Amino acid sequence: MDIALFLDFDGTLAEIAPRPDAVQVEPGLVADLERLRDRLGGALAIVTGRPVSVIDGFLAPARLDAAGLHGVERRVGGALSGGGAEDHPELRRQVERLHAESRPLADVLIEDKGASVAVHWRLANAEDAARAEALVKDAAEALGSAYRLQLGKAVGEIVPAQATKAHAIRAFLERAPYAGRRPVFFGDDRTDEIAFASVNEDGGIAVRVGDGDTVASRRLPDPAAVRALVRMWAEGGRIDPEALPPA
């Protein structure tokens, strides 16, 4: 099958950790991704809410094609574009506000990504978690239509309105070596559903990792199953996403 493969990172290739910087990458994963990229003629990219630079740190020494910050920045063939914090002065003011107003909240983390910001409350108690969610909703409302709020697993992220993983995947599909191929996207969160719908519309295959309602047509139970599939495909196994279990 002549496919273009797009992979989320957190919750898809690696298990979600209590803190974003605590994620562990399984030994051998980077080599498997590089080998699979070669089998696919280069048509493999990471599509994530993380900055591309952070993904590079986790997947060093590899420098895979990647879309970061939900598509605000994109690297193809080594050329990186987008993602500058200096282009988002209104967002920067809200980031400062979020830092200030979240200080009294225990175990609430503000993850400043430059061109986007995420508020994490996975470790917070119920009361502080509710307050953290309210804070990020207020900040998003203050920014207006130029930005949008994405709610995920104990996280709310404010991103530029035009940035979606769906947009990022379609942008990849306009360029070699992705052009003319069938898109296949693996993701795990509510924020991935827009991309699943887009991939479905484009005749591709969307794969949900984990449980939950989804528009994806296929499902794998957890990141360990994704890594096992990547390894099998990298080692020469038949690349057939249609054979995966139905969602």
Side-chain angles (χ1 to χ4, degrees):
M1 180 180 292
D2 198 18
I3 69 167
L5 182 60
F6 304 99
L7 300 160
D8 182 31
F9 182 72
D10 296 280
T12 298
L13 287 175
E15 282 76 12
I16 292 174
R19 294 177 58 90
D21 58 359
V23 167
Q24 299 293 314
V25 175
E26 183 180 80
L29 175 61
V30 173
D32 289 340
L33 289 170
E34 290 184 309
R35 286 188 294 167
L36 180 53
R37 175 193 59 192
D38 293 344
R39 282 202 73 195
L40 293 172
L44 181 154
I46 307 299
V47 181
T48 175
R50 302 262 202 169
V52 169
S53 61
V54 172
I55 293 300
D56 285 347
F58 282 119
L59 299 181
R63 289 179 62 85
L64 302 172
D65 285 352
L69 305 178
H70 301 276
V72 175
E73 55 179 3
R74 191 169 73 254
R75 182 174 65 211
V76 184
L80 180 67
S81 60
E86 66 278 3
D87 297 326
H88 302 272
E90 294 297 327
L91 176 65
R92 304 316 306 161
R93 282 188 276 274
Q94 291 302 319
V95 171
E96 292 177 9
R97 173 188 168 193
L98 286 168
H99 277 295
E101 296 186 4
S102 67
R103 286 192 188 104
L105 307 181
D107 298 316
V108 170
L109 174 67
I110 309 299
E111 185 184 9
D112 183 358
K113 304 180 183 182
S116 71
V117 61
V119 179
H120 298 265
W121 54 84
R122 181 174 300 277
L123 297 177
N125 60 46
E127 181 179 353
D128 284 353
R131 291 176 65 189
E133 184 172 351
L135 284 177
V136 74
K137 286 179 176 178
D138 287 347
E141 184 175 356
L143 285 164
S145 61
Y147 294 85
R148 61 185 174 82
L149 175 64
Q150 299 186 145
L151 292 173
K153 298 172 181 176
V155 61
E157 183 166 7
I158 300 171
V159 300
Q162 77 278 8
T164 70
K165 292 181 180 180
H167 178 271
I169 289 171
R170 281 180 166 163
F172 276 116
L173 292 171
E174 293 175 355
R175 296 189 52 175
Y178 303 91
R181 293 172 178 251
R182 189 179 187 188
V184 177
F185 175 53
F186 288 70
D188 74 299
D189 207 346
R190 284 186 290 174
T191 59
D192 296 319
E193 292 295 324
I194 297 172
F196 290 157
S198 173
V199 166
N200 289 343
E201 290 173 6
D202 292 340
I205 300 172
V207 185
R208 173 76 180 228
V209 181
D211 55 13
D213 294 338
T214 185
V215 299
S217 63
R218 301 290 187 271
R219 189 188 302 269
L220 288 177
D222 50 37
V226 177
R227 294 192 298 266
L229 181 68
V230 167
R231 184 177 306 113
M232 187 269 286
W233 285 352
E235 291 176 348
R238 184 185 178 197
I239 300 175
D240 185 8
E242 289 186 335
L244 297 177

Short mmCIF file of all heavy atoms in Angstrom, two decimals, residues 102-164:
data_model
loop_
_atom_site.label_atom_id
_atom_site.label_comp_id
_atom_site.label_asym_id
_atom_site.label_seq_id
_atom_site.Cartn_x
_atom_site.Cartn_y
_atom_site.Cartn_z
N SER A 102 -2.32 31.30 38.08
CA SER A 102 -2.24 29.89 38.45
C SER A 102 -1.31 29.64 39.62
O SER A 102 -1.26 28.50 40.13
CB SER A 102 -1.79 29.05 37.25
OG SER A 102 -0.45 29.36 36.89
N ARG A 103 -0.57 30.64 40.06
CA ARG A 103 0.40 30.42 41.14
C ARG A 103 -0.22 29.85 42.41
O ARG A 103 0.40 29.01 43.08
CB ARG A 103 1.15 31.72 41.45
CG ARG A 103 2.18 32.08 40.39
CD ARG A 103 3.12 33.20 40.81
NE ARG A 103 3.95 33.61 39.70
CZ ARG A 103 3.79 34.71 38.99
NH1 ARG A 103 2.81 35.55 39.30
NH2 ARG A 103 4.59 35.00 37.97
N PRO A 104 -1.43 30.28 42.82
CA PRO A 104 -2.01 29.69 44.03
C PRO A 104 -2.50 28.25 43.87
O PRO A 104 -2.86 27.61 44.86
CB PRO A 104 -3.22 30.62 44.32
CG PRO A 104 -2.99 31.84 43.51
CD PRO A 104 -2.25 31.39 42.30
N LEU A 105 -2.50 27.73 42.65
CA LEU A 105 -3.03 26.39 42.39
C LEU A 105 -1.92 25.35 42.46
O LEU A 105 -0.89 25.48 41.82
CB LEU A 105 -3.69 26.34 41.01
CG LEU A 105 -4.75 27.42 40.72
CD1 LEU A 105 -5.34 27.23 39.33
CD2 LEU A 105 -5.84 27.41 41.78
N ALA A 106 -2.15 24.34 43.27
CA ALA A 106 -1.13 23.28 43.44
C ALA A 106 -1.15 22.33 42.25
O ALA A 106 -2.22 21.92 41.78
CB ALA A 106 -1.39 22.50 44.73
N ASP A 107 0.04 22.00 41.76
CA ASP A 107 0.20 20.98 40.72
C ASP A 107 -0.49 21.33 39.41
O ASP A 107 -0.91 20.44 38.66
CB ASP A 107 -0.27 19.61 41.22
CG ASP A 107 0.53 19.12 42.41
OD1 ASP A 107 1.76 19.24 42.37
OD2 ASP A 107 -0.08 18.63 43.37
N VAL A 108 -0.60 22.62 39.12
CA VAL A 108 -1.07 23.07 37.81
C VAL A 108 0.13 23.61 37.05
O VAL A 108 0.88 24.43 37.56
CB VAL A 108 -2.16 24.15 37.94
CG1 VAL A 108 -2.46 24.78 36.58
CG2 VAL A 108 -3.42 23.55 38.54
N LEU A 109 0.33 23.12 35.84
CA LEU A 109 1.52 23.46 35.05
C LEU A 109 1.13 24.28 33.83
O LEU A 109 0.22 23.90 33.08
CB LEU A 109 2.22 22.17 34.61
CG LEU A 109 3.41 22.34 33.65
CD1 LEU A 109 4.56 23.04 34.33
CD2 LEU A 109 3.85 20.98 33.11
N ILE A 110 1.82 25.39 33.63
CA ILE A 110 1.67 26.19 32.41
C ILE A 110 2.82 25.82 31.47
O ILE A 110 3.99 26.04 31.78
CB ILE A 110 1.71 27.70 32.71
CG1 ILE A 110 0.72 28.05 33.82
CG2 ILE A 110 1.43 28.49 31.43
CD1 ILE A 110 -0.71 27.74 33.50
N GLU A 111 2.49 25.26 30.32
CA GLU A 111 3.49 24.86 29.33
C GLU A 111 3.49 25.89 28.20
O GLU A 111 2.61 25.89 27.34
CB GLU A 111 3.19 23.47 28.79
CG GLU A 111 4.26 22.95 27.84
CD GLU A 111 3.91 21.60 27.23
OE1 GLU A 111 2.76 21.13 27.41
OE2 GLU A 111 4.78 21.02 26.55
N ASP A 112 4.46 26.77 28.23
CA ASP A 112 4.57 27.84 27.24
C ASP A 112 5.32 27.32 26.02
O ASP A 112 6.50 26.98 26.09
CB ASP A 112 5.31 29.04 27.86
CG ASP A 112 5.39 30.23 26.93
OD1 ASP A 112 4.92 30.14 25.79
OD2 ASP A 112 5.94 31.26 27.37
N LYS A 113 4.64 27.29 24.88
CA LYS A 113 5.23 26.76 23.66
C LYS A 113 5.58 27.85 22.65
O LYS A 113 5.91 27.55 21.52
CB LYS A 113 4.27 25.74 23.02
CG LYS A 113 3.88 24.60 23.95
CD LYS A 113 2.94 23.64 23.24
CE LYS A 113 2.46 22.54 24.18
NZ LYS A 113 1.57 21.57 23.48
N GLY A 114 5.50 29.09 23.08
CA GLY A 114 5.84 30.18 22.19
C GLY A 114 4.65 30.68 21.40
O GLY A 114 4.11 31.75 21.67
N ALA A 115 4.21 29.91 20.43
CA ALA A 115 3.07 30.28 19.61
C ALA A 115 1.78 29.64 20.10
O ALA A 115 0.72 29.80 19.48
CB ALA A 115 3.32 29.89 18.16
N SER A 116 1.83 28.91 21.20
CA SER A 116 0.65 28.36 21.85
C SER A 116 0.98 28.16 23.32
O SER A 116 2.14 28.28 23.74
CB SER A 116 0.21 27.04 21.21
OG SER A 116 1.12 26.00 21.52
N VAL A 117 -0.04 27.88 24.12
CA VAL A 117 0.18 27.64 25.55
C VAL A 117 -0.79 26.56 26.02
O VAL A 117 -1.95 26.53 25.60
CB VAL A 117 0.00 28.93 26.38
CG1 VAL A 117 -1.41 29.49 26.25
CG2 VAL A 117 0.36 28.70 27.84
N ALA A 118 -0.30 25.67 26.86
CA ALA A 118 -1.13 24.60 27.41
C ALA A 118 -1.14 24.70 28.93
O ALA A 118 -0.12 24.98 29.56
CB ALA A 118 -0.60 23.23 26.98
N VAL A 119 -2.31 24.47 29.50
CA VAL A 119 -2.47 24.42 30.96
C VAL A 119 -2.79 22.98 31.32
O VAL A 119 -3.79 22.41 30.86
CB VAL A 119 -3.59 25.37 31.43
CG1 VAL A 119 -3.75 25.29 32.94
CG2 VAL A 119 -3.30 26.80 30.99
N HIS A 120 -1.95 22.38 32.15
CA HIS A 120 -2.09 20.98 32.56
C HIS A 120 -2.57 20.89 34.01
O HIS A 120 -2.01 21.57 34.89
CB HIS A 120 -0.75 20.24 32.46
CG HIS A 120 -0.18 20.19 31.08
ND1 HIS A 120 -0.37 19.12 30.23
CD2 HIS A 120 0.59 21.07 30.39
CE1 HIS A 120 0.25 19.34 29.09
NE2 HIS A 120 0.85 20.52 29.16
N TRP A 121 -3.56 20.05 34.26
CA TRP A 121 -4.03 19.87 35.64
C TRP A 121 -4.16 18.39 36.02
O TRP A 121 -4.89 18.02 36.90
CB TRP A 121 -5.35 20.61 35.85
CG TRP A 121 -6.45 20.27 34.89
CD1 TRP A 121 -7.33 19.23 34.96
CD2 TRP A 121 -6.80 21.00 33.70
NE1 TRP A 121 -8.20 19.25 33.90
CE2 TRP A 121 -7.91 20.33 33.12
CE3 TRP A 121 -6.31 22.15 33.08
CZ2 TRP A 121 -8.52 20.77 31.94
CZ3 TRP A 121 -6.92 22.58 31.91
CH2 TRP A 121 -8.00 21.90 31.36
N ARG A 122 -3.38 17.55 35.37
CA ARG A 122 -3.46 16.10 35.63
C ARG A 122 -3.18 15.76 37.09
O ARG A 122 -3.78 14.84 37.67
CB ARG A 122 -2.47 15.37 34.72
CG ARG A 122 -2.46 13.86 34.88
CD ARG A 122 -1.57 13.21 33.83
NE ARG A 122 -2.05 13.51 32.49
CZ ARG A 122 -3.02 12.84 31.88
NH1 ARG A 122 -3.62 11.85 32.50
NH2 ARG A 122 -3.38 13.17 30.67
N LEU A 123 -2.25 16.47 37.73
CA LEU A 123 -1.85 16.15 39.10
C LEU A 123 -2.61 16.96 40.14
O LEU A 123 -2.43 16.75 41.35
CB LEU A 123 -0.35 16.41 39.27
CG LEU A 123 0.58 15.56 38.41
CD1 LEU A 123 2.03 15.97 38.63
CD2 LEU A 123 0.41 14.08 38.71
N ALA A 124 -3.46 17.89 39.72
CA ALA A 124 -4.13 18.78 40.65
C ALA A 124 -5.34 18.11 41.30
O ALA A 124 -5.93 17.17 40.75
CB ALA A 124 -4.58 20.04 39.92
N ASN A 125 -5.73 18.63 42.48
CA ASN A 125 -6.95 18.14 43.10
C ASN A 125 -8.15 18.67 42.31
O ASN A 125 -8.02 19.54 41.43
CB ASN A 125 -7.03 18.54 44.58
CG ASN A 125 -7.00 20.05 44.78
OD1 ASN A 125 -7.71 20.79 44.09
ND2 ASN A 125 -6.19 20.53 45.73
N ALA A 126 -9.34 18.16 42.62
CA ALA A 126 -10.52 18.47 41.81
C ALA A 126 -10.81 19.97 41.79
O ALA A 126 -11.16 20.53 40.73
CB ALA A 126 -11.73 17.69 42.33
N GLU A 127 -10.68 20.63 42.94
CA GLU A 127 -10.99 22.06 42.99
C GLU A 127 -10.01 22.87 42.15
O GLU A 127 -10.42 23.74 41.36
CB GLU A 127 -10.96 22.54 44.44
CG GLU A 127 -11.29 24.02 44.59
CD GLU A 127 -11.28 24.48 46.04
OE1 GLU A 127 -11.15 23.62 46.93
OE2 GLU A 127 -11.40 25.70 46.26
N ASP A 128 -8.72 22.60 42.30
CA ASP A 128 -7.72 23.36 41.53
C ASP A 128 -7.80 23.02 40.05
O ASP A 128 -7.55 23.87 39.18
CB ASP A 128 -6.33 23.10 42.07
CG ASP A 128 -6.05 23.84 43.37
OD1 ASP A 128 -6.92 24.65 43.77
OD2 ASP A 128 -4.99 23.61 43.98
N ALA A 129 -8.14 21.77 39.73
CA ALA A 129 -8.30 21.39 38.33
C ALA A 129 -9.42 22.19 37.69
O ALA A 129 -9.29 22.68 36.56
CB ALA A 129 -8.57 19.90 38.21
N ALA A 130 -10.53 22.33 38.40
CA ALA A 130 -11.66 23.11 37.86
C ALA A 130 -11.28 24.57 37.68
O ALA A 130 -11.65 25.21 36.68
CB ALA A 130 -12.85 22.98 38.79
N ARG A 131 -10.51 25.11 38.63
CA ARG A 131 -10.07 26.50 38.51
C ARG A 131 -9.10 26.67 37.34
O ARG A 131 -9.16 27.66 36.61
CB ARG A 131 -9.43 26.96 39.81
CG ARG A 131 -10.42 27.08 40.97
CD ARG A 131 -9.73 27.44 42.25
NE ARG A 131 -9.12 28.78 42.19
CZ ARG A 131 -8.31 29.26 43.12
NH1 ARG A 131 -7.98 28.52 44.17
NH2 ARG A 131 -7.81 30.48 43.00
N ALA A 132 -8.22 25.70 37.14
CA ALA A 132 -7.27 25.77 36.02
C ALA A 132 -8.01 25.73 34.69
O ALA A 132 -7.68 26.49 33.76
CB ALA A 132 -6.28 24.61 36.10
N GLU A 133 -9.00 24.87 34.59
CA GLU A 133 -9.78 24.80 33.35
C GLU A 133 -10.50 26.12 33.10
O GLU A 133 -10.56 26.61 31.97
CB GLU A 133 -10.78 23.65 33.41
CG GLU A 133 -11.55 23.46 32.12
CD GLU A 133 -12.40 22.21 32.11
OE1 GLU A 133 -12.28 21.38 33.03
OE2 GLU A 133 -13.20 22.06 31.15
N ALA A 134 -11.04 26.72 34.15
CA ALA A 134 -11.71 28.01 34.01
C ALA A 134 -10.74 29.09 33.56
O ALA A 134 -11.08 29.96 32.74
CB ALA A 134 -12.38 28.40 35.33
N LEU A 135 -9.51 29.06 34.09
CA LEU A 135 -8.51 30.07 33.71
C LEU A 135 -8.19 30.01 32.22
O LEU A 135 -8.13 31.04 31.54
CB LEU A 135 -7.22 29.87 34.52
CG LEU A 135 -7.21 30.33 35.97
CD1 LEU A 135 -5.87 29.99 36.61
CD2 LEU A 135 -7.47 31.84 36.05
N VAL A 136 -7.97 28.81 31.71
CA VAL A 136 -7.59 28.69 30.30
C VAL A 136 -8.77 29.03 29.40
O VAL A 136 -8.60 29.62 28.32
CB VAL A 136 -6.99 27.29 30.00
CG1 VAL A 136 -8.05 26.21 29.95
CG2 VAL A 136 -6.21 27.32 28.68
N LYS A 137 -9.98 28.73 29.85
CA LYS A 137 -11.16 29.11 29.07
C LYS A 137 -11.31 30.63 29.03
O LYS A 137 -11.62 31.21 27.98
CB LYS A 137 -12.41 28.47 29.66
CG LYS A 137 -12.53 26.98 29.39
CD LYS A 137 -13.79 26.39 30.01
CE LYS A 137 -13.96 24.92 29.65
NZ LYS A 137 -15.15 24.32 30.28
N ASP A 138 -11.07 31.29 30.17
CA ASP A 138 -11.14 32.75 30.21
C ASP A 138 -10.09 33.39 29.30
O ASP A 138 -10.37 34.37 28.59
CB ASP A 138 -10.95 33.25 31.65
CG ASP A 138 -12.15 32.98 32.53
OD1 ASP A 138 -13.22 32.65 31.99
OD2 ASP A 138 -12.02 33.09 33.77
N ALA A 139 -8.88 32.83 29.32
CA ALA A 139 -7.81 33.37 28.48
C ALA A 139 -8.15 33.21 27.00
O ALA A 139 -7.93 34.13 26.20
CB ALA A 139 -6.49 32.68 28.80
N ALA A 140 -8.70 32.07 26.64
CA ALA A 140 -9.07 31.84 25.25
C ALA A 140 -10.17 32.80 24.82
O ALA A 140 -10.14 33.35 23.70
CB ALA A 140 -9.52 30.39 25.06
N GLU A 141 -11.14 33.02 25.69
CA GLU A 141 -12.22 33.94 25.36
C GLU A 141 -11.69 35.36 25.17
O GLU A 141 -12.13 36.09 24.26
CB GLU A 141 -13.27 33.92 26.47
CG GLU A 141 -14.49 34.79 26.17
CD GLU A 141 -15.57 34.66 27.22
OE1 GLU A 141 -15.41 33.84 28.15
OE2 GLU A 141 -16.57 35.39 27.12
N ALA A 142 -10.73 35.76 26.02
CA ALA A 142 -10.15 37.09 25.91
C ALA A 142 -9.42 37.30 24.59
O ALA A 142 -9.34 38.42 24.07
CB ALA A 142 -9.21 37.36 27.08
N LEU A 143 -8.87 36.24 24.02
CA LEU A 143 -8.11 36.33 22.78
C LEU A 143 -9.01 36.45 21.55
O LEU A 143 -8.56 36.88 20.49
CB LEU A 143 -7.18 35.13 22.63
CG LEU A 143 -5.94 35.17 23.53
CD1 LEU A 143 -5.30 33.80 23.60
CD2 LEU A 143 -4.95 36.20 23.01
N GLY A 144 -10.25 36.03 21.68
CA GLY A 144 -11.18 36.17 20.57
C GLY A 144 -10.98 35.14 19.47
O GLY A 144 -10.35 34.09 19.66
N SER A 145 -11.45 35.48 18.27
CA SER A 145 -11.53 34.51 17.18
C SER A 145 -10.20 34.16 16.54
O SER A 145 -10.12 33.21 15.76
CB SER A 145 -12.48 35.04 16.09
OG SER A 145 -11.99 36.26 15.56
N ALA A 146 -9.14 34.90 16.87
CA ALA A 146 -7.83 34.58 16.28
C ALA A 146 -7.22 33.32 16.87
O ALA A 146 -6.28 32.76 16.31
CB ALA A 146 -6.87 35.75 16.46
N TYR A 147 -7.75 32.88 18.01
CA TYR A 147 -7.24 31.68 18.68
C TYR A 147 -8.42 30.79 19.04
O TYR A 147 -9.57 31.22 19.08
CB TYR A 147 -6.45 32.06 19.94
CG TYR A 147 -5.18 32.82 19.62
CD1 TYR A 147 -5.22 34.20 19.43
CD2 TYR A 147 -3.97 32.16 19.49
CE1 TYR A 147 -4.07 34.90 19.10
CE2 TYR A 147 -2.81 32.85 19.17
CZ TYR A 147 -2.87 34.23 18.97
OH TYR A 147 -1.73 34.91 18.65
N ARG A 148 -8.10 29.52 19.32
CA ARG A 148 -9.13 28.60 19.76
C ARG A 148 -8.60 27.75 20.90
O ARG A 148 -7.38 27.56 21.05
CB ARG A 148 -9.63 27.73 18.62
CG ARG A 148 -8.57 26.85 18.00
CD ARG A 148 -9.12 26.10 16.79
NE ARG A 148 -8.05 25.37 16.13
CZ ARG A 148 -7.61 24.18 16.53
NH1 ARG A 148 -8.17 23.58 17.56
NH2 ARG A 148 -6.61 23.59 15.89
N LEU A 149 -9.52 27.20 21.68
CA LEU A 149 -9.18 26.36 22.82
C LEU A 149 -9.41 24.90 22.47
O LEU A 149 -10.48 24.54 21.98
CB LEU A 149 -10.02 26.75 24.03
CG LEU A 149 -9.87 25.87 25.28
CD1 LEU A 149 -8.46 25.96 25.84
CD2 LEU A 149 -10.89 26.26 26.33
N GLN A 150 -8.41 24.08 22.73
CA GLN A 150 -8.54 22.63 22.56
C GLN A 150 -8.47 21.99 23.94
O GLN A 150 -7.49 22.18 24.66
CB GLN A 150 -7.41 22.07 21.71
CG GLN A 150 -7.37 22.63 20.31
CD GLN A 150 -6.34 21.94 19.44
OE1 GLN A 150 -6.54 21.77 18.26
NE2 GLN A 150 -5.22 21.57 20.02
N LEU A 151 -9.50 21.24 24.31
CA LEU A 151 -9.50 20.53 25.58
C LEU A 151 -9.16 19.07 25.33
O LEU A 151 -9.75 18.42 24.47
CB LEU A 151 -10.86 20.64 26.27
CG LEU A 151 -11.23 22.04 26.75
CD1 LEU A 151 -12.67 22.06 27.26
CD2 LEU A 151 -10.28 22.51 27.85
N GLY A 152 -8.17 18.56 26.10
CA GLY A 152 -7.75 17.17 25.98
C GLY A 152 -7.81 16.47 27.32
O GLY A 152 -8.64 16.78 28.18
N LYS A 153 -6.91 15.53 27.52
CA LYS A 153 -6.87 14.74 28.75
C LYS A 153 -6.21 15.55 29.86
O LYS A 153 -4.99 15.63 29.94
CB LYS A 153 -6.11 13.44 28.51
CG LYS A 153 -6.77 12.54 27.46
CD LYS A 153 -5.88 11.34 27.13
CE LYS A 153 -6.52 10.47 26.06
NZ LYS A 153 -5.63 9.34 25.65
N ALA A 154 -7.03 16.20 30.71
CA ALA A 154 -6.55 17.04 31.82
C ALA A 154 -5.65 18.16 31.32
O ALA A 154 -4.69 18.55 31.97
CB ALA A 154 -5.83 16.20 32.87
N VAL A 155 -5.99 18.71 30.16
CA VAL A 155 -5.20 19.81 29.59
C VAL A 155 -6.10 20.68 28.72
O VAL A 155 -7.04 20.19 28.08
CB VAL A 155 -4.01 19.27 28.75
CG1 VAL A 155 -4.50 18.42 27.59
CG2 VAL A 155 -3.13 20.41 28.26
N GLY A 156 -5.84 21.98 28.75
CA GLY A 156 -6.47 22.89 27.82
C GLY A 156 -5.38 23.66 27.11
O GLY A 156 -4.46 24.18 27.75
N GLU A 157 -5.45 23.73 25.80
CA GLU A 157 -4.41 24.39 25.02
C GLU A 157 -5.00 25.45 24.12
O GLU A 157 -5.99 25.21 23.42
CB GLU A 157 -3.62 23.38 24.20
CG GLU A 157 -2.47 24.01 23.44
CD GLU A 157 -1.48 23.00 22.89
OE1 GLU A 157 -1.74 21.80 22.99
OE2 GLU A 157 -0.43 23.44 22.38
N ILE A 158 -4.39 26.63 24.13
CA ILE A 158 -4.78 27.73 23.25
C ILE A 158 -3.82 27.76 22.08
O ILE A 158 -2.60 27.85 22.26
CB ILE A 158 -4.75 29.07 24.00
CG1 ILE A 158 -5.72 29.04 25.19
CG2 ILE A 158 -5.11 30.21 23.06
CD1 ILE A 158 -5.59 30.24 26.10
N VAL A 159 -4.38 27.68 20.87
CA VAL A 159 -3.57 27.66 19.65
C VAL A 159 -4.15 28.64 18.65
O VAL A 159 -5.33 29.01 18.73
CB VAL A 159 -3.52 26.25 19.03
CG1 VAL A 159 -2.94 25.24 20.00
CG2 VAL A 159 -4.91 25.81 18.57
N PRO A 160 -3.35 29.10 17.69
CA PRO A 160 -3.91 29.93 16.62
C PRO A 160 -5.08 29.23 15.94
O PRO A 160 -5.05 28.02 15.73
CB PRO A 160 -2.72 30.13 15.68
CG PRO A 160 -1.52 30.01 16.57
CD PRO A 160 -1.88 28.94 17.56
N ALA A 161 -6.10 29.99 15.61
CA ALA A 161 -7.34 29.41 15.09
C ALA A 161 -7.13 28.57 13.84
O ALA A 161 -7.82 27.58 13.61
CB ALA A 161 -8.35 30.51 14.82
N GLN A 162 -6.17 28.96 13.01
CA GLN A 162 -5.96 28.24 11.75
C GLN A 162 -5.14 26.98 11.93
O GLN A 162 -4.97 26.21 10.97
CB GLN A 162 -5.27 29.15 10.72
CG GLN A 162 -3.77 29.35 10.93
CD GLN A 162 -3.42 30.39 11.96
OE1 GLN A 162 -4.32 30.88 12.66
NE2 GLN A 162 -2.16 30.76 12.07
N ALA A 163 -4.63 26.73 13.12
CA ALA A 163 -3.73 25.58 13.34
C ALA A 163 -4.54 24.35 13.76
O ALA A 163 -5.16 24.34 14.82
CB ALA A 163 -2.71 25.93 14.42
N THR A 164 -4.52 23.33 12.93
CA THR A 164 -5.08 22.03 13.29
C THR A 164 -4.18 20.95 12.71
O THR A 164 -3.47 21.17 11.72
CB THR A 164 -6.51 21.82 12.74
OG1 THR A 164 -6.45 21.68 11.31
CG2 THR A 164 -7.43 22.97 13.13
#
